[in-house]
Amino acid sequence: MAARAVPRAPGEPRSTAPAGEGVPTRRRATVHPGAWWLWAISLGTAATRTTNPLLLALLVAASAYVVATHRSAAPWARSYTAFARLALAVLLVRLVFATVLGSPIPGTHTLLTLPEIPLPHWAQGIRLGGEVTAEALVFAAYDGLKLATLLICVGAANALASPSRLLKSLPGALYETGVAVVVALTFAPHLIADVQRLRAARRLRGRPDRGIRGLLQVGLPVLEGALERSVALAAAMESRGYGRTAEVPARVRRTTAALTLGGLLGICAGTYGLLTAEGGGYGAPLLLAGTAAALAGLRLGGRRSLRTRYRPDPWDTRAWLVTGSGVAVAALLTLASARAPEALHPGVVPLTAPTLPLWPAASVLLALLPALVVPRERS
């Protein structure tokens, strides 16, 4: 006689009995990885619409809070710190360039004067050294902070979206490219771990781990291990049938190539039209037509891929909310940049302190919606 299920009281934990003994197993609800990427790309798009450091700091804080509360303990989830360091390096490089190479921004507040190196006549418009003004440095800081925020948003997507799950969601036409990218992203943490392990081993043996000699002594074993790991992975993938393709008629292949190439050209032309003041009339139609053609080409190109999806990630209500919050931030900041450009792009001549516009700042807070609707990762 089959055992009767005992009802569970409210607040009582589920049974931990193994599968197949009357208790069905369930996966923990997770968000589609594409939703995290769309959310992060939308935040990056919003960052390109302003140079206000207060709004950019809000975007960074929102992405950092969501990453801190929802990233997992997987190795790929630690990439946010690397992207943050890269963003800081980009900001510092932008300031150094503005100091050494000068800036076209006129200024009256001279901070220091560097020795100026005379250049030939064919390098007119470029100078090395000279006066460094506060206006030029502030302008460079605003410009560098915008690019740094964009990098941090991309780092948030890398820390929140699983590469292997994202690979399962790619169209069939991009499957081979996705496999290569995911393998590269998966091998990078192993290389870093190998370098740290070998450097620690050399320190324990009293051998140098820095400088050219230490780099050569550590780099060769790391390269050897990476080659062995790649050969083993290639053999495992070949034994599992990776790389198999279906027979597709030549007419379908030509149509796929034409649609994909034409769609990409339409997307580029439409994006250029939206970014310029003269192309506002044709930018949106070209972008929509190019997107539709590229999607049709990817759909036809997917016929070459012989694969099935095991337990695919559903695009549920949480995914729509995550994506919608990022798109709303990008749309509202784009609208604000058109209606109140002086608030989103503070001037540097004359040099004034930036102000925080209220409703654009409130729209940036919509980026925190994933922290409320997405369940947190269990430790």
Side-chain angles (χ1 to χ4, degrees):
M1 181 183 296
R4 187 175 61 180
V6 180
R8 183 169 58 92
E12 181 182 348
R14 293 183 180 272
S15 173
T16 57
E21 296 186 6
V23 180
T25 59
R26 286 178 131 186
R27 282 194 304 170
R28 185 178 57 81
T30 54
V31 179
H32 196 284
W36 285 123
W37 270 100
L38 291 176
W39 172 80
I41 291 174
S42 299
L43 294 188
T45 304
T48 62
R49 311 310 299 174
T50 179
T51 56
N52 191 319
L54 301 179
L55 291 177
L56 294 174
L58 276 179
L59 285 171
V60 172
S63 66
Y65 179 78
V66 175
V67 169
T69 56
H70 287 80
R71 68 175 175 179
S72 64
W76 47 263
R78 306 171 188 170
S79 60
Y80 187 78
T81 304
F83 275 90
R85 293 176 180 174
L86 178 61
L88 181 59
V90 166
L91 179 59
L92 294 178
V93 168
R94 183 67 178 87
L95 291 174
V96 170
F97 278 8
T99 302
V100 177
L101 301 179
S103 175
I105 302 300
T108 57
H109 299 78
T110 303
L111 299 179
L112 70 157
T113 302
L114 299 176
E116 188 169 355
I117 302 175
L119 297 176
H121 64 88
W122 52 264
Q124 292 182 0
I126 303 175
R127 67 176 178 86
L128 293 176
E131 292 185 351
V132 180
T133 62
E135 289 83 356
L137 287 183
V138 170
F139 177 80
Y142 288 172
D143 195 37
L145 185 59
K146 179 170 65 174
L147 181 57
T149 305
L150 180 60
L151 289 173
I152 289 177
C153 292
V154 174
N158 280 276
L160 293 170
S162 170
S164 58
R165 288 175 51 215
L166 184 63
L167 173 63
K168 294 196 302 182
S169 305
L170 286 178
L174 301 178
Y175 184 67
E176 288 83 2
T177 305
V179 169
V181 172
V182 170
V183 168
L185 292 176
T186 305
F187 268 37
H190 292 289
L191 292 178
I192 296 175
D194 288 345
V195 171
Q196 294 175 349
R197 177 176 55 82
L198 289 172
R199 290 185 62 185
R202 290 184 63 84
R203 285 195 299 268
L204 290 175
R205 292 178 174 88
R207 299 177 181 177
D209 63 322
R210 298 182 182 275
I212 302 298
R213 182 179 178 183
L215 180 62
L216 293 177
Q217 296 293 332
V218 171
L220 291 178
V222 170
L223 180 61
E224 181 183 359
L227 290 175
E228 292 179 355
R229 194 181 296 114
S230 62
V231 170
L233 178 62
M237 293 176 66
E238 184 179 2
S239 65
R240 287 166 174 80
Y242 280 86
R244 293 180 301 173
T245 56
E247 291 293 334
V248 179
R251 176 176 54 84
V252 176
R253 291 199 302 268
R254 288 193 294 267
T255 305
T256 301
L259 286 175
T260 305
L261 182 59
L264 293 178
L265 291 176
I267 291 174
C268 294
T271 304
Y272 176 78
L274 290 177
L275 294 177
T276 57
E278 295 80 6
Y282 67 85
L286 269 180
L287 181 60
L288 293 177
T291 303
L295 291 177
L298 292 178
R299 181 73 175 178
L300 285 177
R303 296 183 178 182
R304 296 179 62 252
S305 177
L306 296 174
R307 68 188 184 100
T308 58
R309 289 186 174 92
Y310 174 67
R311 299 172 76 176
D313 294 308
W315 191 278
D316 54 6
T317 305
R318 291 192 181 96
W320 283 113
L321 290 175
V322 170
T323 305
S325 64
V327 172
V329 173
L332 289 174
L333 281 189
T334 302
L335 180 62
S337 66
R339 292 192 173 183
E342 66 281 352
L344 269 69
H345 300 277
V348 295
V349 180
L351 192 60
T352 56
T355 59
L356 182 64
L358 293 181
W359 73 268
S363 65
V364 172
L365 297 180
L366 292 175
L368 294 173
L369 183 62
L372 303 177
V373 301
V374 179
R376 299 188 179 186
E377 292 284 347
R378 295 179 181 177
S379 57

